[in-house]
Amino acid sequence: MTSLRNHRVVIASLFLPTTAVLGESNPPTPSIYAQDPDTSPPELADKPNGSSKPPFRHQHSKSFGGNQPLKSIVEDLKSRATTPLTSPPTEAANNPFSKFTSIASPRLNGTPTNGAIPDAQPLPPAMPGLDRSFTFSSRPRKFQTTHPDVQHTARLQRKQSRSSSRRPGDAYPSARGEGYNPWHTALNSHCNGGLKNAIDSVKDRLTQKLWVGTLGNSTDKFGPDLRDSVDLRMRELCSSVPVWIPDAEFESCYDEFCHQVLWPCLHYAVPDAPKTKLFYESASFKQYMSVNKRFAEIIIANYREGDIIWVNDYHLMLLPALLRADPKLVNAPIGFFLHVAFPSSEIFRCLSVRESLLRGLLAADLVGFQTASYARHFRQTVSRILALEALPKGIQIDGSFGSGMGGHKGRFVDVGVFPMGIDVSSLQEKKREPDVQYWVQLLRQRYSGMKMIVGRDKLDEIQGVRHKTEAFERFLKKNPEFQGKVVLIQIALQTTEFNELAGGVSDAVARVNAAFSTLTYQPIVFLHTQEVTFSQYLALLTVADAFLITSLREGMALRTHEFVECQEGRHRPLILSEFAGSYSYSGFRSCIAINPYDTRGTANAIYQALTMTDGEALSRWEDLHNHVITQTAQAFVMSFLTRCLRANTEHTAQTDLSMVPVVDMGRLLPRYKHSSKRLLLLDFEGAIWIRDMSRAGLLAPFEPQQQSLALLKRFANDPRNEVWLLSGLPVKGVLDKIAAAVPGVGIVAENGCFVKTRETKKTPATWIDMVANLNFTWKGPCVEILNYFTERTPGSFVEERDASIVWRFWTGPTDDCPDRQWARRQAAEAQNHIFDSLGERYGLRIIPGSNSFLVLPNNISRSTAVGAILHPGGPAHSPRSGLAGSLSGMSSRGGGRDDDVDGHGGDEMRGVFAVSGDEKLLRRLNELDHSETVSTSRKGTDAKWKLDPKEVVSVLSQLAGVA
């Protein structure tokens, strides 16, 4: 595999990691201890190297008002109101913990730093292993079924990034030197933080990269000159290329389609009637398409040979097809990774634009998901909606697919699982910083003798914060001894006021705090993520006695990884929803698993976590820790990019059919004539025998054509030839007639389920059952399912064979009439039912065709049967197996032995001649020396020659006539 150092990675994500902010960049403020060293906490004052002083903080940007003093997280814990939607109190009378101010808050000039907290606290320049929703202050997602109102629309739009979100050194130097600079760079609070941190973690191995995305704020006021300046400096300083999108277009795409249509659908939340019009018929899809086209234009303009294009998340699902449609990128490596969940086909099929989205993804070489279940849902959805062959490793696209949006014909799309992780070493380094230890000490003082449960979620319905609050309420009621001794600290990620209300969190929190609060105790404390620095967040994870996640559906919850690593030394338990993607991995089975819909069970889990013995907690933590340090951000990035590059190499090796030459008998005949030994592998149906595909022809008794039998006899009578007939037909009543007529020909039946050896002078022909050890109890239920659909599909019928089943759902004209469209929809439904109920349980494979589909055991094919024939020790090995070597263990060209079983030397000219429509078989045969492969599939192929099926008999007759 080519090293990634030789490739530039183009990372397409909706938001860039760095944004452009209008206005000058402000210098940092002095240390909050610099004016009064005596205010250092006594327990930290005597530490060397000034470790008691937290890092510098930035002031507000001039464009956002005057300076405001900082306030510590502990003070904020004491001063928050009872609901997340209420502003912090300003009077001391409303603060029951004001007597702790001297302990909680650092001072400036001897005065407690009470005041309103800034809108966004500083973030470190390189945030290690941070879950993406925290890193960018929770890129807002709307979960609603109606259009946004004016009141909260302004909150949700691409908010202008604040310079207060930068640490010293975050602002890049001005391109104009010491003069006035109309804009500066800052960390983008909306970017995919998990992806950014993962890319940063492999910067030593990923030396060339280019980010493509939007700035994340309003850009209509950026003039042409300013945009040119941003383009130039962002490219030079940040390796980023901005995508300029009109604000109205972006708002419709991002706020409406992405967050009101795609987001709920992907998280199993189909809106209820009567508010379903936006979900099913969204005009914002036009803006979604337009945004994807703008991304495609930028990537195409900046593409250079050798680039790997990595498309990220559900905002850009159409982008792979748009890129593949450009002639420059026809063979470019394109990978798509979905960072959120993917639902079952029953949910996804509700989308009116479902086919466009799926076709967009299938133009990629690799489609990646967080968990195996999400990947399985995607394969099933493609099989059900697009009627394509879904295999365990991906999707096989046939030649008839790809008419829309840049689809690529006749190729295989890899579908893989790539669990995201964190940068463990960077996180471990960060948590040892003095700033983190400072906040740990303060939190331990403030909550001495109390248990702390920590959570961090968005307040919408999908994150399950209301369920968490209700479970905590039940826990306090059921265990009164914990009242006043347990506090739930919930970090709330940014969302709209509408979403907070829709999530039902406000009323639940108010009810709990009203019922259990005292003068010195508040059971639930809310902190918005803008009000918590990363150091404070790590301190909370360090002192927590439990971390609680009650998501109703979620991808990979990276905050669980951060909690596990911050608990090194304490080993407190993790309470995790079984609907979170992290729970699907065995390493996380050592958490306390909960069903968030089960309030009683979650309450019991909280009690179990707070009363767990140290020994049990340590054992659980070790399992979690071992998983976290294995499933890292570095492994995620490198495995995805390597797999994408390998998949592209395999795909581009398949030559377009127009580039494959037709069989040249002037070149093929001499090679055939001068071969002392020949192995002939010939397809029966579709090559030697053209079957009548009408209903009458399919149901008529089989009678072999005399022309075909005569051709096979001529080949078999030549002592230099060993002939094998490859077929998908059954043995009884079909292939046994050919075996009787031409005993010297070997036969592969039912696509590799049965093999008949060749009759020789020493050994008689025998049928070998290649699937004798498999369980075929699936056939009964499968036939029942197909009979159900046969009753509802006119003209269809079932062919039950010994080891496989075929459903002929259409036997009429091949034009795309309404009846045939109905039959294809029925076939897609039938495939989905079979795969869901029987596929995984029995290990079945479904191969769809244009008018039928085949169900057979997994890992059985003509290719595996030929491998058994060529393997010297195989059950159906050929007497001349040495002339080709084993396909099953082949690693280089010419894997055969020097001498065959007849004792002839390796100096003799040997040849393999194959005529087939099985592309996998032809691809493997190409690895053999002296092989001549001919494809009859009429689609993209790796074969050396192509041939129309109607011409096969004529060409083979010329070869058979060679003396």
Side-chain angles (χ1 to χ4, degrees):
M1 179 58 62
T2 305
S3 171
L4 291 176
R5 294 180 184 272
N6 301 326
H7 298 268
R8 184 181 67 169
V9 179
V10 179
I11 307 159
S13 184
L14 188 64
F15 296 108
L16 293 173
T18 308
T19 187
V21 182
L22 294 180
E24 289 186 281
S25 176
N26 289 332
T29 60
S31 168
I32 60 176
Y33 295 114
Q35 299 180 25
D36 189 2
D38 296 335
T39 58
S40 299
E43 70 275 14
L44 299 175
D46 56 351
K47 290 190 176 182
N49 301 325
S51 60
S52 63
K53 299 179 182 180
F56 290 130
R57 303 286 198 266
H58 262 296
Q59 292 178 322
H60 274 301
S61 173
K62 291 182 179 180
S63 58
F64 293 95
N67 299 331
Q68 294 175 323
L70 294 171
K71 183 170 66 173
S72 74
I73 185 176
V74 182
E75 179 184 356
D76 194 63
L77 295 180
K78 301 180 297 179
S79 63
R80 298 300 294 177
T82 58
T83 67
L85 296 178
T86 308
S87 299
T90 57
E91 298 182 5
N94 295 329
N95 183 1
F97 307 115
S98 58
K99 63 182 179 180
F100 293 104
T101 301
S102 60
I103 299 177
S105 303
R107 300 184 179 188
L108 288 172
N109 298 326
T111 304
T113 59
N114 290 329
I117 198 158
D119 289 335
Q121 289 281 18
L123 292 175
M127 294 161 286
L130 187 58
D131 182 11
R132 65 193 187 98
S133 55
F134 184 88
T135 307
F136 53 87
S137 301
S138 80
R139 182 181 72 233
R141 297 188 181 93
K142 294 173 67 174
F143 173 55
Q144 59 192 76
T145 58
T146 58
H147 289 281
D149 55 45
V150 177
Q151 177 182 0
H152 70 264
T153 297
R155 288 186 57 190
L156 191 60
Q157 303 316 313
R158 292 181 290 171
K159 299 175 65 178
Q160 189 170 4
S161 298
R162 295 164 170 78
S163 59
S164 60
S165 65
R166 292 176 285 108
R167 294 272 183 149
D170 290 342
Y172 294 95
S174 170
R176 302 184 182 181
E178 300 295 330
Y180 171 75
N181 184 25
W183 66 277
H184 62 276
T185 56
L187 293 177
N188 194 340
S189 62
H190 298 291
C191 81
N192 186 329
L195 175 64
K196 175 190 179 298
N197 296 326
I199 295 296
D200 289 343
S201 69
V202 293
K203 57 186 177 182
D204 55 332
R205 287 181 282 180
L206 210 62
T207 56
Q208 303 179 70
K209 60 179 178 292
L210 181 69
W211 288 88
V212 177
T214 66
L215 296 178
N217 51 18
S218 177
T219 57
D220 280 357
K221 56 183 173 290
F222 284 57
D225 293 339
L226 182 58
R227 292 190 180 194
D228 291 342
S229 173
V230 172
D231 285 340
L232 179 62
R233 290 184 58 204
M234 292 286 284
R235 181 68 173 262
E236 293 177 349
L237 303 176
C238 311
S239 299
S240 301
V241 178
V243 179
W244 301 100
I245 302 174
D247 291 348
E249 180 181 305
F250 185 91
E251 175 186 346
S252 180
C253 164
Y254 183 65
D255 298 341
E256 293 183 16
F257 188 77
C258 289
H259 292 159
Q260 298 182 54
V261 178
L262 278 183
W263 173 260
C265 174
L266 294 174
H267 291 83
Y268 288 76
V270 179
D272 296 328
K275 300 177 181 179
T276 56
K277 182 176 182 180
L278 185 66
F279 186 80
Y280 296 103
E281 301 177 5
S282 175
S284 60
F285 182 65
K286 295 180 180 179
Q287 280 68 44
Y288 182 82
M289 292 179 61
S290 179
V291 168
N292 278 256
K293 288 179 181 178
R294 292 180 186 273
F295 268 80
E297 292 170 358
I298 294 297
I299 294 175
I300 292 171
N302 289 273
Y303 175 78
R304 67 190 189 196
E305 193 69 26
D307 283 353
I308 302 174
I309 302 174
W310 185 358
V311 183
N312 288 275
D313 232 351
Y314 62 98
H315 315 96
L316 303 173
M317 295 178 74
L318 302 179
L319 185 54
L322 296 173
L323 295 173
R324 191 69 73 188
D326 188 88
K328 290 170 53 180
L329 281 74
V330 168
N331 294 320
I334 302 176
F336 178 90
F337 185 79
L338 186 66
H339 292 260
V340 297
F342 193 91
S344 69
S345 58
E346 286 293 337
I347 302 294
F348 196 86
R349 69 190 294 228
C350 297
L351 286 173
S352 60
V353 294
R354 59 191 185 181
E355 289 196 21
S356 296
L357 296 174
L358 293 177
R359 288 175 182 270
L361 296 182
L362 291 177
D365 295 295
L366 170 65
V367 181
F369 297 90
Q370 296 274 22
T371 71
S373 61
Y374 300 156
R376 183 179 69 252
H377 291 164
F378 176 73
R379 294 194 303 268
Q380 292 175 355
T381 300
V382 170
S383 174
R384 183 175 192 180
I385 295 176
L386 300 180
L388 296 176
E389 182 182 1
L391 302 173
K393 293 184 179 180
I395 306 297
Q396 180 64 56
I397 299 178
D398 57 32
S400 62
F401 180 80
S403 58
M405 300 194 67
H408 203 59
K409 296 183 179 182
R411 56 197 298 272
F412 188 81
V413 179
D414 282 28
V415 177
V417 179
F418 305 91
M420 207 167 186
I422 63 173
D423 186 355
V424 177
S425 59
S426 180
L427 181 65
Q428 291 176 342
E429 180 181 350
K430 177 64 180 178
K431 72 181 182 180
R432 289 192 293 265
E433 292 183 357
D435 199 17
V436 177
Q437 301 304 317
Y438 168 78
W439 295 112
V440 167
Q441 292 294 332
L442 290 181
L443 285 168
R444 285 176 175 169
Q445 288 185 36
R446 168 65 183 86
Y447 291 102
S448 177
M450 297 184 67
K451 299 288 187 180
M452 295 176 58
I453 302 173
V454 177
R456 184 170 65 83
D457 311 272
K458 287 179 60 180
L459 299 186
D460 61 23
E461 184 177 355
I462 294 173
Q463 293 295 314
V465 181
R466 177 175 60 84
H467 301 73
K468 179 188 301 187
T469 304
E470 293 173 350
F472 185 65
E473 178 185 23
R474 184 178 184 89
F475 164 77
L476 292 177
K477 289 180 178 179
K478 185 178 179 181
N479 304 280
E481 67 275 14
F482 280 98
Q483 296 178 13
K485 299 180 181 179
V486 178
V487 61
L488 171 61
I489 300 178
Q490 177 66 45
I491 300 176
L493 304 184
Q494 176 184 351
T495 185
T496 66
E497 293 181 9
F498 184 94
N499 287 356
E500 291 185 8
L501 295 173
V505 178
S506 177
D507 293 339
V509 172
R511 184 178 65 250
V512 175
N513 282 344
F516 299 101
S517 291
T518 65
L519 184 63
T520 58
Y521 171 69
Q522 179 175 307
I524 301 179
V525 176
F526 264 81
L527 294 172
H528 287 278
T529 186
Q530 306 98 300
E531 303 166 343
V532 183
T533 67
F534 189 55
S535 296
Q536 294 166 344
Y537 170 63
L538 293 182
L540 273 173
L541 296 184
T542 302
V543 302
D545 294 284
F547 193 78
L548 178 58
I549 293 181
T550 54
S551 303
L552 306 185
R553 189 71 59 174
E554 189 174 1
M556 193 62 62
L558 295 185
R559 55 195 185 278
T560 60
H561 298 230
E562 296 162 355
F563 170 74
V564 170
E565 289 310 299
C566 286
Q567 283 291 313
E568 187 175 12
R570 296 195 69 233
H571 315 131
R572 300 319 302 163
L574 167 68
I575 307 173
L576 179 63
S577 167
E578 62 187 41
F579 298 111
S582 301
Y583 182 70
S584 64
Y585 291 92
S586 58
F588 271 88
R589 296 303 171 90
S590 294
C591 67
I592 302 177
I594 58 169
N595 177 357
Y597 297 97
D598 180 8
T599 304
R600 179 181 303 176
T602 305
N604 293 338
I606 294 175
Y607 179 84
Q608 179 185 356
L610 297 181
T611 59
M612 184 177 293
T613 63
D614 292 342
E616 181 183 353
L618 174 60
S619 176
R620 289 174 177 264
W621 179 87
E622 287 176 344
D623 292 339
L624 296 171
H625 171 69
N626 290 334
H627 179 81
V628 170
I629 62 176
T630 302
Q631 181 186 300
T632 62
Q634 292 88 338
F636 161 71
V637 174
M638 299 308 295
S639 62
F640 182 86
L641 293 178
T642 302
R643 174 83 173 270
C644 180
L645 198 58
R646 183 175 69 245
N648 175 260
T649 302
E650 296 173 354
H651 299 165
T652 54
Q654 191 176 62
T655 310
D656 186 81
L657 186 61
S658 62
M659 304 298 293
V660 179
V662 179
V663 170
D664 184 352
M665 295 304 296
R667 296 173 58 186
L668 190 60
L669 277 174
R671 297 176 186 176
Y672 179 85
K673 181 178 181 179
H674 295 293
S675 297
S676 60
K677 297 176 183 176
R678 314 181 191 109
L679 175 66
L680 276 64
L681 303 170
L682 309 175
D683 270 4
F684 182 56
E685 58 269 33
I688 294 179
W689 176 50
I690 306 299
R691 190 174 190 180
D692 180 4
M693 300 305 294
S694 67
R695 180 179 177 85
L698 292 171
L699 295 176
F702 172 77
E703 291 297 334
Q705 296 178 346
Q706 294 303 316
Q707 182 184 15
S708 301
L709 294 179
L711 178 62
L712 293 175
K713 288 179 181 178
R714 291 172 64 188
F715 277 126
N717 290 335
D718 190 331
R720 294 179 295 175
N721 292 342
E722 179 178 337
V723 186
W724 286 85
L725 198 63
L726 312 179
S727 174
L729 298 175
V731 176
K732 296 180 181 178
V734 182
L735 295 180
D736 54 359
K737 295 182 180 180
I738 296 180
V742 194
V745 173
I747 299 176
V748 173
E750 291 198 37
N751 294 290
C753 294
F754 303 95
V755 175
K756 185 197 79 73
T757 60
R758 295 169 59 251
E759 183 180 87
T760 63
K761 296 179 180 179
K762 298 181 180 179
T763 58
T766 58
W767 282 98
I768 300 175
D769 187 351
M770 306 294 289
V771 292
N773 296 326
L774 300 183
N775 181 2
F776 283 93
T777 56
W778 58 269
K779 291 182 62 181
C782 183
V783 171
E784 290 183 10
I785 294 174
L786 293 178
N787 286 336
Y788 171 86
F789 284 95
T790 299
E791 295 173 358
R792 289 155 179 80
T793 310
S796 63
F797 62 94
V798 180
E799 287 185 16
E800 184 177 359
R801 300 171 179 174
D802 290 333
S804 59
I805 298 175
V806 178
W807 189 44
R808 308 279 181 183
F809 57 82
W810 181 252
T811 56
T814 56
D815 58 326
D816 200 20
C817 59
D819 288 344
R820 190 184 184 197
Q821 293 177 7
W822 166 256
R824 289 183 64 85
R825 287 196 295 269
Q826 291 294 93
E829 290 286 336
Q831 292 178 51
N832 189 71
H833 279 282
I834 293 172
F835 194 88
D836 286 346
S837 59
L838 305 172
E840 290 193 13
R841 181 180 178 186
Y842 292 100
L844 301 182
R845 176 187 179 196
I846 301 177
I847 305 176
S850 57
N851 298 310
S852 63
F853 68 79
L854 171 68
V855 184
L856 75 166
N858 234 333
N859 301 320
I860 296 296
S861 66
R862 302 185 189 191
S863 180
T864 58
V866 172
I869 292 170
L870 297 180
H871 196 289
H877 69 276
S878 159
R880 294 176 180 172
S881 57
L883 67 85
S886 170
L887 282 179
S888 59
M890 197 165 38
S891 60
S892 62
R893 297 181 63 87
R897 300 175 299 178
D898 291 335
D899 299 311
D900 67 6
V901 294
D902 295 330
H904 298 290
D907 55 345
E908 298 184 33
M909 184 67 176
R910 302 167 178 176
V912 177
F913 298 85
V915 180
S916 176
D918 189 326
E919 294 301 327
K920 183 178 180 180
L921 172 62
L922 296 176
R923 189 180 307 116
R924 300 179 71 185
L925 290 175
N926 280 339
E927 301 178 22
L928 302 176
D929 286 330
H930 310 302
S931 64
E932 297 293 341
T933 52
V934 181
S935 173
T936 59
S937 65
R938 298 178 178 176
K939 59 184 180 181
T941 179
D942 292 330
K944 300 177 181 178
W945 311 97
K946 66 181 177 183
L947 189 62
D948 188 285
K950 297 179 181 179
E951 305 294 331
V952 171
V953 173
S954 173
V955 170
L956 292 180
S957 297
Q958 296 183 53
L959 294 178
V962 175

